[in-house]
Amino acid sequence: PTREAVAAMLKGTSHSPDEVVARGFMPEGLGVTVRQVAINAVMAGCLPEQMPVLLATIEAYQKFNLNSMLRSTNSFAFMQVVNGPIARTLKMNSGVNAVGPGNQANAAMGRALRLFITNLGGGAPGLNIMAVIGANSNYSFMFAENEEQSPWEPLSVTQGFKKEESTLTFFSGGWAHSGNYGLGTELADVPPDLARYQLPSGAVLIISPQRAEALSRQGMSKEDVRNFLQQKATRPAREMRGSQNQAGNGDAAVQVFKPGTIDVVVAGGDAAPMMQAWHMYRPQTVSIDKWR
């Protein structure tokens, strides 16, 4: 990160280089300035026009206390979804291979988060990051929603923003996923897998445009899909209550997820009706525009 490269990166935002954007960045609770974000952005391979997304990442990261997650022996990771005009401006991938490699914007901005945790938060495996196995989704997990091909309102609107606003939604979780659910599968195949997730605080179903269109033609809104998944993701009461199970009701179906904790995002290409389910929850949505 040469002085010249950092200076160029700082031109991507109107915010002062010395502005404090985090006072307790986890896991070690360190302070972070715009300049420090720019330095790490250079190391991640980002471009100046991507700075507003990266500053929004810092903001969203702090919306929930992630300290225990980072230090957990579970393998927490984070998923970031970008909505709005900036996704097109930055040429983010929301189509074929949306969550895979090959797109500069998705890869570099996603990678920046891991550098933030390491270099700005003081995170180090074996010291304060104690995941026993880890998650490869920690390398980079950022993509844009395929709003152009979606029959439903985008995630940002579901989260209370306007469609013309650019936003970033930050999910926590990430050590497990299910799918692909492709040809020969139905939406009803997904809930039993979701119900087996450890610590079922929430989930995200990534639906390809072709599958989303098929569900829409069946008369299902995005809210209908969310409710269906939540209501059908059940386990026997005896598994939920353990030793507290009372005789005679152990086979009763118990809903694993609370209402509103399963989200739906449309992304991917349209070659097949694919779906992927991810153990991601507690979405935190912030404005990207405020960081321009």
Side-chain angles (χ1 to χ4, degrees):
T2 64
R3 291 181 183 274
E4 294 76 13
V6 173
M9 188 67 65
L10 287 168
K11 292 180 180 179
T13 179
S14 62
H15 290 254
S16 168
D18 295 324
E19 179 180 341
V20 176
V21 293
R23 297 189 180 278
F25 201 78
M26 294 300 173
E28 292 301 320
L30 306 178
V32 176
T33 65
V34 170
R35 178 180 288 104
Q36 290 173 315
V37 173
I39 290 170
N40 282 268
V42 171
M43 289 192 286
C46 295
L47 303 175
E49 56 265 33
Q50 295 166 355
M51 269 293 284
V53 178
L54 302 180
L55 292 167
T57 294
I58 297 287
E59 180 186 355
Y61 181 90
Q62 301 174 86
K63 288 283 186 178
F64 185 80
N65 188 346
L66 301 173
N67 192 35
S68 61
M69 293 184 182
L70 291 166
R71 297 174 186 269
S72 173
T73 52
N74 268 323
S75 304
F76 281 95
F78 309 103
M79 181 175 78
Q80 300 180 79
V81 182
V82 174
N83 284 102
I86 199 168
R88 294 185 294 275
T89 301
L90 299 181
K91 299 179 180 179
M92 293 187 70
N93 185 13
S94 65
V96 176
N97 201 36
V99 304
N103 176 271
Q104 187 275 338
N106 293 25
M109 293 191 295
R111 169 63 177 153
L113 173 60
R114 183 48 46 177
L115 290 183
F116 295 160
I117 293 172
T118 301
N119 296 333
L120 304 182
L127 177 64
N128 48 27
I129 295 179
M130 304 302 295
V132 172
I133 296 176
N136 56 6
S137 49
N138 266 320
Y139 279 101
S140 179
F141 200 172
M142 179 186 282
F143 62 98
E145 184 164 21
N146 194 337
E147 298 181 29
E148 291 76 12
Q149 292 185 272
S150 173
W152 303 315
E153 67 178 25
L155 176 65
S156 55
V157 174
T158 303
Q159 290 293 101
F161 288 79
K162 297 178 181 178
K163 189 173 182 179
E164 60 270 21
E165 294 180 275
S166 294
T167 66
L168 179 140
T169 302
F170 189 99
F171 290 91
S172 306
W175 63 74
H177 81 279
S178 308
N180 281 331
Y181 302 95
L183 292 169
T185 65
E186 302 291 341
L187 188 65
D189 295 322
V190 180
D193 293 335
L194 298 183
R196 304 307 304 182
Y197 285 173
Q198 181 193 29
L199 303 178
S201 302
V204 175
L205 184 65
I206 303 175
I207 304 182
S208 70
Q210 189 179 122
R211 176 77 73 161
E213 284 290 352
L215 292 170
S216 180
R217 286 194 300 270
Q218 295 171 20
M220 298 190 74
S221 67
K222 185 169 75 168
E223 193 63 22
D224 290 335
V225 174
R226 298 178 68 192
N227 290 336
F228 177 88
L229 296 171
Q230 184 262 324
Q231 293 166 8
K232 298 297 182 181
T234 63
R235 292 171 63 179
R238 63 178 179 275
E239 294 184 10
M240 303 297 290
R241 299 174 183 172
S243 60
Q244 300 302 313
N245 172 43
Q246 297 178 3
N249 63 358
D251 292 328
V254 176
Q255 293 176 358
V256 173
F257 296 91
K258 295 180 180 179
T261 58
I262 298 179
D263 287 283
V264 169
V265 178
V266 176
D270 55 8
M274 296 293 188
M275 298 180 288
Q276 284 186 6
W278 282 86
H279 179 263
M280 289 287 183
Y281 55 92
R282 200 178 286 114
Q284 309 293 329
T285 303
V286 300
S287 169
I288 294 173
D289 296 328
K290 66 177 285 188
W291 293 107
R292 293 182 187 273

